[in-house]
Amino acid sequence: MTATAKNRRHRDISHEETERLRATVPDDPIRLPPGHLACEGCGVADVGPVVESVPMGRLAAHYTRCADCQRLHDRASTLADGLAFRRTLDTLYALAVVGIEPPEDPSPLVPWMHIVGSSVPWLDPEAPGGDLCSPHPWAHVRLSQRAQIKEAYLLAMRSRVHTSTPALRLPPPWGGACLFCGVGSLPMAPIAVVRRGGREGAAHAIWRRVLTQPTSLGGHGPDLVDGFLCPSCSDALDTSGRGVGVGARARAFEQHVRRTRPEEADRVRSLLDQYDSIILPGWGALATSSPNSEPWAHIVVPPPEDDA
C-alpha cells in the first residue's frame, strides 16, 4: 500500500463530519446538567421554560423545548390543529431524526409518517426518567426506528410518482414460512405497512404466532415449534375447532384447493376422509428452510386413476 493510500485510509475527519456521523446513530442517555430540562422532542438538555409536565409517582417530570424543536412545533401549529397538529408535528419530528428537510407543505407525508414519528419524541411513556437527557439531538432513537422512518419516507415519495404502488411482501417475523402451507410472504399495501409502524409491526399484524408440538404438524422431536400461520391457515385453525393438528391442516388444505382448483375440491375432500389417502404434514414439520413456491406445494394428491 502506498503512503498516499495509507494517509487516505487513516486521515482525520473534521469535527463537523464527526458530529454528522454521530447524529446518525443512537447513544445512551446522560444525566441532566443542573438547572436544565430535557427537550420534549429531541431530548437534549436546555434551559428553556417548562412546556410539559408528566406525573411520575408523587412527583412530576418537567420538560422543555429546544429552539429547533420549538421551530418544528410552531410550524406544525401554523399548518394544522387538534389531532392533525399532533400528526403533523410527529411527521416533522420523524424527518428531523433522519436529517431530511421537510417540504414546504408536509401534509402529503403525514399519512405515511405520523405513526412511526409518534414513537420518537423524548416525551414518551417508554422514555427514561426525568433526570436524564439525550447527549445529542435524537440520540435516543433506535436504529430500527430510523430504518422505519426512512422506509416510510421512501414509500411516500414512491407513491407520489406512481399512482399504484405495488404491495410489499412480508415474511413472518421468524420461522421462514407458514407452518401449515409453507407460503413464505404475504402482500400488504405500503400505506397499511407504515400505519402499523413498519414491516415488523405489519408482519406481526398479518401473521399469527403459534407455539406447538412438532407432532401436531405431523413431525417428530421433543422441542416445541415456534412459528406463524398465514391468514388462510389461521382461519382454518379457528373454524376446525380442534386446535393445531391434522384436522386443522386438512381443513386449510381443502379450503386452498376450493379456492385454486374448485373442480378437484370434492374429490380431495373424499380423499381426506380416507385415512392416509393424502399424507398431510405441515411445512413446519419438513426438514427445509425454503418456503414453498405456492401454498401446500409439498403435498402430493394421488392422481384420479389411483382412486379405483
Side-chain angles (χ1 to χ4, degrees):
M1 183 182 295
T2 66
T4 302
K6 288 182 179 179
N7 290 338
R8 186 183 301 116
R9 180 178 178 183
H10 298 292
R11 72 177 180 86
D12 293 332
I13 62 175
S14 68
H15 173 74
E16 291 75 14
E17 289 176 298
T18 301
E19 290 302 307
R20 179 178 57 79
L21 291 172
R22 185 183 183 209
T24 64
V25 295
D27 207 346
D28 293 334
I30 59 174
R31 289 285 176 185
L32 268 171
H36 289 65
L37 296 173
C39 173
E40 67 167 4
C42 68
V44 297
D46 199 271
V47 294
V50 174
V51 298
E52 189 73 51
S53 296
V54 176
M56 290 190 175
R58 296 183 178 181
L59 302 175
H62 302 303
Y63 301 89
T64 188
R65 197 178 291 136
C66 72
D68 288 338
C69 289
Q70 183 65 58
R71 280 191 289 271
L72 297 178
H73 189 278
D74 293 342
R75 183 169 183 185
S77 66
T78 64
L79 295 169
D81 54 18
L83 180 59
F85 158 75
R86 184 69 246 182
R87 291 178 172 178
T88 301
L89 180 60
D90 287 337
T91 298
L92 296 178
Y93 279 164
L95 293 171
V97 169
V98 295
I100 296 175
E101 186 68 25
E104 183 175 345
D105 178 14
S107 57
L109 297 176
V110 172
W112 295 88
M113 303 192 67
H114 77 90
I115 291 179
V116 68
S118 67
S119 64
V120 300
W122 178 265
L123 181 60
D124 183 271
E126 297 182 2
D131 59 345
L132 298 172
C133 65
S134 280
H136 56 90
W138 309 108
H140 59 283
V141 182
R142 301 188 304 273
L143 288 174
S144 60
Q145 292 174 294
R146 294 166 188 263
Q148 290 167 4
I149 292 170
K150 291 176 182 177
E151 180 176 50
Y153 179 74
L154 290 174
L155 290 173
M157 292 297 99
R158 186 190 302 171
S159 73
R160 300 186 70 178
V161 175
H162 303 287
T163 55
S164 57
T165 305
L168 298 178
R169 304 293 305 189
L170 301 178
W174 60 82
C178 174
L179 292 177
F180 278 14
C181 72
V183 67
S185 63
L186 299 168
M188 183 178 284
I191 189 65
V193 172
V194 298
R195 285 174 177 169
R196 287 167 172 80
R199 290 175 184 261
E200 182 179 358
H204 278 283
I206 197 171
W207 290 88
R208 175 180 179 175
R209 187 179 180 186
V210 170
L211 185 65
T212 189
Q213 298 284 349
T215 52
S216 298
L217 297 171
H220 304 280
D223 298 328
L224 290 175
V225 178
D226 186 0
F228 292 83
L229 296 181
C230 70
S232 296
C233 291
S234 175
D235 177 69
L237 174 62
D238 290 336
T239 56
S240 70
R242 304 176 187 176
V244 179
V246 66
R249 298 199 306 276
R251 186 171 186 84
F253 181 64
E254 180 189 357
Q255 290 177 347
H256 168 70
V257 173
R258 290 194 181 279
R259 287 192 302 270
T260 58
R261 307 191 303 275
E263 70 282 359
E264 295 186 40
D266 290 341
R267 176 175 170 269
V268 166
R269 176 67 266 172
S270 176
L271 290 173
L272 289 172
D273 289 337
Q274 302 173 37
Y275 182 73
D276 279 352
S277 292
I278 298 179
I279 307 301
L280 201 65
W283 178 89
L286 308 179
T288 180
S289 59
S290 298
N292 285 335
S293 56
E294 298 291 338
W296 298 105
H298 62 285
I299 300 301
V300 177
V301 176
E305 55 267 25
D306 290 354
D307 294 350

